Amino acid sequence: MQEAMISKAKQLLADGTVTRVIGWKKGEFAYDITPAIFESSEEIDRDFVYDDFTSTNVSKYLVKESKKEGKILAFLKPCDTYSLNQLTKEHRVDRDNIYVVGIPSDGKLDIEKIKAKGITGITGVERDGETLKISTVYGDETMSVADVMSNKCISCKSKKHVTYDELIGEDGEVITSDRFDMVEKLENMTSEERYNFWRGELSKCIRCNACRNVCPACTCENCVFNNPDSGVENKAAADSFEENMFHIIRAFHVAGRCTDCGECSRVCPQNIPLHLLNRKFIKDINSLYGEYQAGADTTTKAPLNDYTTEDCEASIVHERGVE
Amino acid sequence: MQVNDNKEFQPLIVAFCCNWCSYAGADLSGTNRLNYPTNVKIIRVPCSCRVNPMFILRAFQRGADGVILCGCHPGDCHYTSGNYFTRRRMTLLFSMLDFLGIERDRTRVEWVSAAEGAKFAATMNEFTEAVKKLGPNRRLEDLRCRKQ
Amino acid sequence: MNAIDTLIPHIGVVTDIRQDTPDVKTFRVNAIQPDGTASGKVFEHMPGQCAMLSIPGVGEGMFSITSSPTNNEFMEFSIKKCGCLTSWLHAMEVGQQITIRGPYGNNFPVETELKGKDLLFIAGGIGLAPLRSVINYVRDNRENYGDVQIIYGSRSKDDLVDYQEIINEWEADPNIQVNLTIDREQEGWDGHVGFVPNYVKELNPSLSKTVLICGPPIMIKFTLAGLKELGFTETQVYTTMELRMKCAVGKCGRCNIGDKYVCKDGPVFRFDQLDELPDEY
Amino acid sequence: MLKISVEKIDELFKAIAEKQTLYIPTDREDGASEYKKYEDGMKLSGNLNTLRSAKDFFFPQTENLADFKMEGKKIEVIDIREEAEDFVVFGVRACDARSFTILDKVFLSDPVDSYYKNRRDHGTIVTMACTKPAETCFCQTFGIDPTEPEGDVACWSDGESIFFKANTEKGQAFVDSVSGLLEDGDTTKLDETKAKTKEIMGKLPLANLSTEAFGGDKLMEHFKSEKWAELSESCLGCGTCTFVCPTCQCYDIKDFNTGNGIKRFRCWDSCMYSDFTKMAHGNIRNSQLERFRQRFMHKLVYFPSNNNGEFGCVGCGRCMSKCPISMNIVKVMKALEVK
């Protein structure tokens, strides 16, 4: 795949279709991949990489990059295309200035999961079908790929590209996933159990803002939490209330716009399952206002910008589920 | 102002009332000499859809034990459709608060027209009772704001 | 715990407020004595040093102390209204208490390098505030210094800070040459009209002078270029800087220009020192 | 050397916890480890590093500085400082132990930060030598030997026993207080363990990383480097690197109006944030490039310039594993050192 992408990028650069390429760049180790902009085929030959660790969603960079001079080539995985489509819908990117090449993704790996198995001193990772060979300074290890698949890929919602100018390989299908299982499990707990669960998770938050800054739906020029005039500006949660507040409001602000790309949970240094908050909103929207997938198209109205006179009353919250 | 019996817990209720219907409804309940608890603090808003989720959370932070949002009946919004948006927003927000384990009876949306003074008083009495049963808000409070 | 910590402020009380220009007020601050009366200074300082003033709940900010150390009765701060905290300060009434901590930073080297020198002060707008402290210090120790010249410019006559003091005391002082200028023609103004950098060039001050300059960054930039054209060297020119500060003691990590902290190593810099630092201000 | 057998470590923890608060690194469900207050039955983590560094004990993410009561035009300052209780932090790695030397240079230099000093005076740091360094480790670049950690008390494990050596008076007092549980032991196996670790240190991918190209005298050269644009282009501007860093010490001071008084508190701040240097009249570091450059220049150039050549990094590798886009100080150093 990587070779096909490199030759495609070089071809599009050479024939002048694009002036820049956004992709991923090799790091120090086998897994520390950084998103990068390439401007020449030399740079691409030297650093371009597409492998099991290129999980970063590069759509958000296109907000800035698409406004620069010259067309940019973006290699997007199926889930990334949803983000781009949503950004296009919200007029945050200049879609005409982006050349999207859809690339398939058979699931990315999570280095944290590998390390959590006690493996350290990693010098190389090699994938052979469904097994993973890891060489370390302490000797070699093998494990199953499924064991260390990143969470966002385990609950993949679609292998289909919703926007592209060109595809490499075959397009996939929207798939039924079990992504709402955990939300449902929590819904079936008692209110106190839920409270304890979330207190345990959210109290880990260090307010690094990685979830917000990586989120393709969070593209405000100035976030309420950065704006001293908003009255809620804060840099660190000085009280448990502020931990709750930040995550509730953030999830609410992206409700109906979140494509469930899973980046928030991937980047959280404290491994807080933040995607569950977003999924809760998605699940509620689906069940109360009809099935809706943000980013699936660029025309439909977002559920929170819309209403029907027959909508349910807020009291539905009090009537259903577990107290 | 506040008559606080030390033995019995008196919840602090914040009621966001829309200017056109519910606030007038509250007024009417007053002129009709209907009783509702003194611990209900009314905040007048131009339309129920002016209420941002942050308002609700901030009320809890500052010591509210329950927050109720009152607006015109669906279809009667002074601005045609404001309360329809409110309805979706608050449904989702309350559902999220419930998901985080905040007691669901601390929040409510009620439609009160300018003519429904009696409904306003009854709603406030009922809501206050419901919150009183739950006790003080502990799950969504800011410890720094707790009165010493 | 009884260890002194600089982050815990003193209380000062505002005993006089003077409206200098439409957006600048000068506040007189006194210490509170054990018997509750307001008199004297909260602490001693040197010309050019700053203090952190704050209204709890609103914010804290670094302000240069406008009054001269030789004034033993009170401290003064000339503050321009431009943000949240300064708006609050402008809304204060006499008798309001504020928190104050300091003094912070270095000072103009009035007791060392500037001693015996001919001095040229160049200020623009609110930039007079930190220089006023030096000017009055020099006036009170006149025998230690040579010629004193002040070139001060502002947008209009109404925007000249401390105008009354300038006319009544500085201009009346035969040992001081004062040159005022405003940006645009104005009724009732028969003085010079024009920007400060050009006026400096017109006046063509003697190269023997040591220059102290403060004003908007753009004015400093062009004035410095003008001075260089006239033949001044960077080692002759001092300025004072301002960046966002929180701790004022070189620990909170934001007011640095290169490896120098403005709050601790500054705010007074000589231009040859700034030359060795990145252009980040 | 004094030692205790690994099986009896719980007894030791219990004995310490009886006298003062004890914090040990312990594993979480997700595989990461974090410091927790010791309670009976808690197990010492086998991980190399905790997710958050040990600086939290001395410089917490938020702390109250003072309270104010406002009444009419009057302001009352309430000094809320209290003498800290004695506590022990067990199992600090060599890199984190060095971070205190760096933090001390900031907080204990004149004027002394009494909040930090208070905790520093009352905290005993018990370090633990590393035996299984990770690929992200580069403490040796900064002259740290992970087999000879600093700290009030240094500990080593050879798999069977844990050995203790006091480095300071405070450390000696600590060792004396638990000496009943310790016995004299032979260090032959320990010396082998150390040698093995040292051998692995040499094999690590970052073993040859050097600080030669950095230091206070390289200010303008690095500041003006053209590489910053490329290095910073993918930076998200989040604060992950600063908040997991054991040496980052920038803070903000804020006021919170509780409705019945004002609390002035300080909290960690990050030079990566857009409002870090924002003033009423503008911002001196408007682009992410400038903010990104500030962070690395501070660690590699400004800090050594002000502190006799000591770098502001200890090579713990946390930023390397936690950065959402895997941009980190090693990549910056490698890019800048190429002329």
mmCIF file of all heavy atoms in Angstrom, chain D residues 120-137:
data_model
loop_
_atom_site.group_PDB
_atom_site.id
_atom_site.type_symbol
_atom_site.label_atom_id
_atom_site.label_comp_id
_atom_site.label_asym_id
_atom_site.label_seq_id
_atom_site.Cartn_x
_atom_site.Cartn_y
_atom_site.Cartn_z
ATOM 1 N N ARG D 120 8.888 20.226 49.926
ATOM 2 C CA ARG D 120 10.230 19.662 49.728
ATOM 3 C C ARG D 120 10.843 19.324 51.088
ATOM 4 O O ARG D 120 11.475 18.283 51.237
ATOM 5 C CB ARG D 120 11.053 20.727 49.000
ATOM 6 C CG ARG D 120 12.186 20.271 48.184
ATOM 7 C CD ARG D 120 11.855 19.507 46.947
ATOM 8 N NE ARG D 120 13.131 19.219 46.300
ATOM 9 C CZ ARG D 120 13.865 18.142 46.547
ATOM 10 N NH1 ARG D 120 13.424 17.207 47.362
ATOM 11 N NH2 ARG D 120 15.034 17.973 45.960
ATOM 12 N N ASP D 121 10.644 20.212 52.067
ATOM 13 C CA ASP D 121 11.195 19.978 53.404
ATOM 14 C C ASP D 121 10.593 18.756 54.061
ATOM 15 O O ASP D 121 11.230 18.088 54.866
ATOM 16 C CB ASP D 121 10.930 21.201 54.304
ATOM 17 C CG ASP D 121 11.808 22.375 53.924
ATOM 18 O OD1 ASP D 121 12.768 22.151 53.164
ATOM 19 O OD2 ASP D 121 11.524 23.502 54.371
ATOM 20 N N HIS D 122 9.335 18.489 53.750
ATOM 21 C CA HIS D 122 8.648 17.418 54.460
ATOM 22 C C HIS D 122 8.579 16.115 53.682
ATOM 23 O O HIS D 122 8.079 15.122 54.184
ATOM 24 C CB HIS D 122 7.240 17.876 54.849
ATOM 25 C CG HIS D 122 7.249 18.908 55.935
ATOM 26 N ND1 HIS D 122 7.279 18.569 57.267
ATOM 27 C CD2 HIS D 122 7.284 20.258 55.882
ATOM 28 C CE1 HIS D 122 7.314 19.680 57.975
ATOM 29 N NE2 HIS D 122 7.324 20.721 57.173
ATOM 30 N N GLY D 123 9.052 16.130 52.451
ATOM 31 C CA GLY D 123 8.981 14.921 51.644
ATOM 32 C C GLY D 123 10.314 14.197 51.596
ATOM 33 O O GLY D 123 11.359 14.811 51.451
ATOM 34 N N THR D 124 10.281 12.880 51.741
ATOM 35 C CA THR D 124 11.481 12.066 51.587
ATOM 36 C C THR D 124 11.358 11.308 50.273
ATOM 37 O O THR D 124 10.334 10.667 50.025
ATOM 38 C CB THR D 124 11.608 11.059 52.744
ATOM 39 O OG1 THR D 124 11.520 11.772 53.966
ATOM 40 C CG2 THR D 124 12.921 10.306 52.675
ATOM 41 N N ILE D 125 12.386 11.418 49.445
ATOM 42 C CA ILE D 125 12.337 10.756 48.148
ATOM 43 C C ILE D 125 13.159 9.480 48.201
ATOM 44 O O ILE D 125 14.361 9.509 48.471
ATOM 45 C CB ILE D 125 12.875 11.684 47.048
ATOM 46 C CG1 ILE D 125 11.957 12.900 46.926
ATOM 47 C CG2 ILE D 125 12.970 10.962 45.717
ATOM 48 C CD1 ILE D 125 12.579 14.039 46.180
ATOM 49 N N VAL D 126 12.480 8.372 47.981
ATOM 50 C CA VAL D 126 13.171 7.085 47.942
ATOM 51 C C VAL D 126 13.184 6.636 46.492
ATOM 52 O O VAL D 126 12.128 6.425 45.892
ATOM 53 C CB VAL D 126 12.454 6.043 48.821
ATOM 54 C CG1 VAL D 126 13.233 4.726 48.801
ATOM 55 C CG2 VAL D 126 12.293 6.553 50.231
ATOM 56 N N THR D 127 14.360 6.543 45.930
ATOM 57 C CA THR D 127 14.453 6.221 44.504
ATOM 58 C C THR D 127 14.639 4.723 44.307
ATOM 59 O O THR D 127 14.951 3.983 45.245
ATOM 60 C CB THR D 127 15.634 6.957 43.857
ATOM 61 O OG1 THR D 127 16.808 6.667 44.612
ATOM 62 C CG2 THR D 127 15.397 8.441 43.837
ATOM 63 N N MET D 128 14.431 4.288 43.071
ATOM 64 C CA MET D 128 14.600 2.875 42.744
ATOM 65 C C MET D 128 15.367 2.772 41.436
ATOM 66 O O MET D 128 14.965 3.366 40.429
ATOM 67 C CB MET D 128 13.204 2.230 42.620
ATOM 68 C CG MET D 128 13.200 0.787 42.218
ATOM 69 S SD MET D 128 13.985 -0.296 43.426
ATOM 70 C CE MET D 128 12.610 -0.647 44.487
ATOM 71 N N ALA D 129 16.466 2.050 41.468
ATOM 72 C CA ALA D 129 17.286 1.923 40.261
ATOM 73 C C ALA D 129 16.525 1.153 39.195
ATOM 74 O O ALA D 129 15.725 0.276 39.503
ATOM 75 C CB ALA D 129 18.577 1.193 40.596
ATOM 76 N N CYS D 130 16.776 1.499 37.921
ATOM 77 C CA CYS D 130 16.084 0.835 36.821
ATOM 78 C C CYS D 130 16.793 -0.469 36.482
ATOM 79 O O CYS D 130 18.018 -0.570 36.574
ATOM 80 C CB CYS D 130 16.086 1.714 35.582
ATOM 81 S SG CYS D 130 15.362 3.325 35.873
ATOM 82 N N THR D 131 16.012 -1.462 36.070
ATOM 83 C CA THR D 131 16.620 -2.696 35.584
ATOM 84 C C THR D 131 16.162 -3.014 34.179
ATOM 85 O O THR D 131 16.731 -3.848 33.501
ATOM 86 C CB THR D 131 16.241 -3.892 36.485
ATOM 87 O OG1 THR D 131 14.821 -3.904 36.623
ATOM 88 C CG2 THR D 131 16.889 -3.788 37.845
ATOM 89 N N LYS D 132 15.072 -2.338 33.757
ATOM 90 C CA LYS D 132 14.549 -2.658 32.431
ATOM 91 C C LYS D 132 14.211 -1.376 31.673
ATOM 92 O O LYS D 132 13.045 -1.058 31.469
ATOM 93 C CB LYS D 132 13.303 -3.534 32.588
ATOM 94 C CG LYS D 132 13.151 -4.529 31.469
ATOM 95 C CD LYS D 132 11.992 -5.464 31.697
ATOM 96 C CE LYS D 132 11.763 -6.273 30.421
ATOM 97 N NZ LYS D 132 10.495 -7.001 30.439
ATOM 98 N N PRO D 133 15.238 -0.629 31.250
ATOM 99 C CA PRO D 133 14.971 0.625 30.545
ATOM 100 C C PRO D 133 14.214 0.398 29.236
ATOM 101 O O PRO D 133 14.326 -0.672 28.637
ATOM 102 C CB PRO D 133 16.363 1.196 30.278
ATOM 103 C CG PRO D 133 17.301 0.066 30.444
ATOM 104 C CD PRO D 133 16.669 -0.900 31.393
ATOM 105 N N ALA D 134 13.460 1.394 28.844
ATOM 106 C CA ALA D 134 12.649 1.294 27.629
ATOM 107 C C ALA D 134 13.352 1.981 26.469
ATOM 108 O O ALA D 134 14.337 2.696 26.665
ATOM 109 C CB ALA D 134 11.292 1.941 27.873
ATOM 110 N N GLU D 135 12.806 1.785 25.265
ATOM 111 C CA GLU D 135 13.419 2.392 24.082
ATOM 112 C C GLU D 135 13.318 3.915 24.117
ATOM 113 O O GLU D 135 14.087 4.610 23.466
ATOM 114 C CB GLU D 135 12.793 1.832 22.798
ATOM 115 C CG GLU D 135 11.362 2.289 22.486
ATOM 116 C CD GLU D 135 10.298 1.521 23.262
ATOM 117 O OE1 GLU D 135 10.668 0.765 24.173
ATOM 118 O OE2 GLU D 135 9.099 1.685 22.955
ATOM 119 N N THR D 136 12.349 4.425 24.901
ATOM 120 C CA THR D 136 12.179 5.877 24.958
ATOM 121 C C THR D 136 13.116 6.536 25.979
ATOM 122 O O THR D 136 13.092 7.750 26.144
ATOM 123 C CB THR D 136 10.732 6.225 25.331
ATOM 124 O OG1 THR D 136 10.379 5.470 26.485
ATOM 125 C CG2 THR D 136 9.764 5.911 24.214
ATOM 126 N N CYS D 137 13.905 5.742 26.682
ATOM 127 C CA CYS D 137 14.785 6.299 27.725
ATOM 128 C C CYS D 137 16.010 6.963 27.100
ATOM 129 O O CYS D 137 16.656 6.371 26.231
ATOM 130 C CB CYS D 137 15.258 5.192 28.652
ATOM 131 S SG CYS D 137 13.961 4.558 29.711
#
